[in-house]
Amino acid sequence: MNYCSECGLKVEFRIPEGDNLPRFICVNCNTIHYSNPKIVAGCIAEWQGKILLCKRAIEPRYGLWTLPAGFMENRETMPQAAARETLEEANGRVENLRLYALYNLPHISQVYAMYRGDLSRGEASAGLESLEVGLYQEDEIPWDSLAFPVIQESLELYFQDCRHGIFPVRTGDIIRTDGRIEIIRHTA
């Protein structure tokens, strides 16, 4: 950030009085510009033992598979965001949304909230952000072509929980250091 969005003048990166972290502060109007993590909401949309996957038509990870997910918008709840993303990416409507997993990704300043939901009538088609969509059983998942570690982790736990018929709320941290991904699962 170079300029203040309030008055348009230059900002400095320093620790404001009474704070402990550096922030962008306007040299003119003293507005403090906070930069906080982004919330991503996604959905494991279920239909008759299968789940909905989308092949990405956008970067990052163009051409790889993912669950419908994306950044929350202002004035919506996390379940609303998960439902909206499913509609936008796969023209799918989901009902009966339940929180399934919450992941911290501090290396990219994101928090993922993954929901389970029932795909209405099993209907879906590619939206603007998807090359194609499909309903898949566990043995049909393109495991080697998943777009993000958080998606792989969510799917692995989901299918494990399917085998037991119990779906606890999962939490964890996905941390990237020195190019390696470490997944730390927390117990409920």
Side-chain angles (χ1 to χ4, degrees):
M1 180 174 207
N2 293 313
Y3 300 99
C4 177
S5 59
E6 296 294 317
C7 72
L9 294 180
K10 196 97 172 113
V11 295
E12 294 178 342
F13 192 64
R14 60 182 165 83
I15 299 173
E17 187 176 327
D19 203 338
N20 62 348
L21 294 172
R23 317 280 185 186
F24 288 105
I25 304 169
C26 179
V27 297
N28 179 56
C29 69
N30 294 315
T31 297
I32 301 170
H33 299 276
Y34 294 93
S35 178
N36 301 106
K38 302 274 188 213
I39 298 173
V40 176
C43 188
I44 299 172
E46 306 164 317
W47 174 256
Q48 298 181 348
K50 296 182 178 188
I51 59 139
L52 177 65
L53 289 180
C54 304
K55 191 173 198 178
R56 293 179 60 82
I58 59 172
E59 292 294 349
R61 314 295 286 166
Y62 178 92
L64 297 180
W65 291 91
T66 189
L67 294 166
F71 294 113
M72 278 184 70
E73 297 290 349
N74 291 331
R75 304 189 191 290
E76 71 181 353
T77 66
M78 287 192 296
Q80 287 170 337
R84 176 185 50 76
E85 287 293 337
T86 304
L87 184 60
E88 286 179 2
E89 294 182 11
N91 293 308
R93 297 192 183 279
V94 285
E95 304 161 341
N96 193 25
L97 289 167
R98 295 89 68 211
L99 181 62
Y100 179 64
L102 194 62
Y103 299 102
N104 300 297
L105 286 75
H107 62 283
I108 54 174
S109 300
Q110 293 179 359
V111 176
Y112 269 72
M114 300 302 294
Y115 286 80
R116 291 176 51 226
D118 302 322
L119 182 62
S120 179
R121 296 185 303 270
E123 295 176 356
S125 62
L128 292 176
E129 297 180 6
S130 299
L131 296 169
E132 61 182 283
V133 300
L135 292 167
Y136 296 90
Q137 295 179 78
E138 180 178 10
D139 62 349
E140 300 170 327
I141 301 289
W143 293 102
D144 293 336
S145 299
L146 294 177
F148 307 106
V150 68
I151 300 304
Q152 175 133 4
E153 176 70 0
S154 296
L155 290 173
E156 286 175 1
L157 291 173
Y158 169 79
F159 286 115
Q160 175 184 317
D161 292 343
C162 282
R163 286 188 283 282
H164 296 100
I166 299 171
F167 295 89
V169 174
R170 304 293 193 149
T171 61
D173 301 327
I174 298 177
I175 300 169
R176 176 171 291 191
T177 43
D178 301 326
R180 291 180 339 116
I181 296 291
E182 178 183 7
I183 298 173
I184 302 167
R185 294 178 179 168
H186 303 288
T187 54

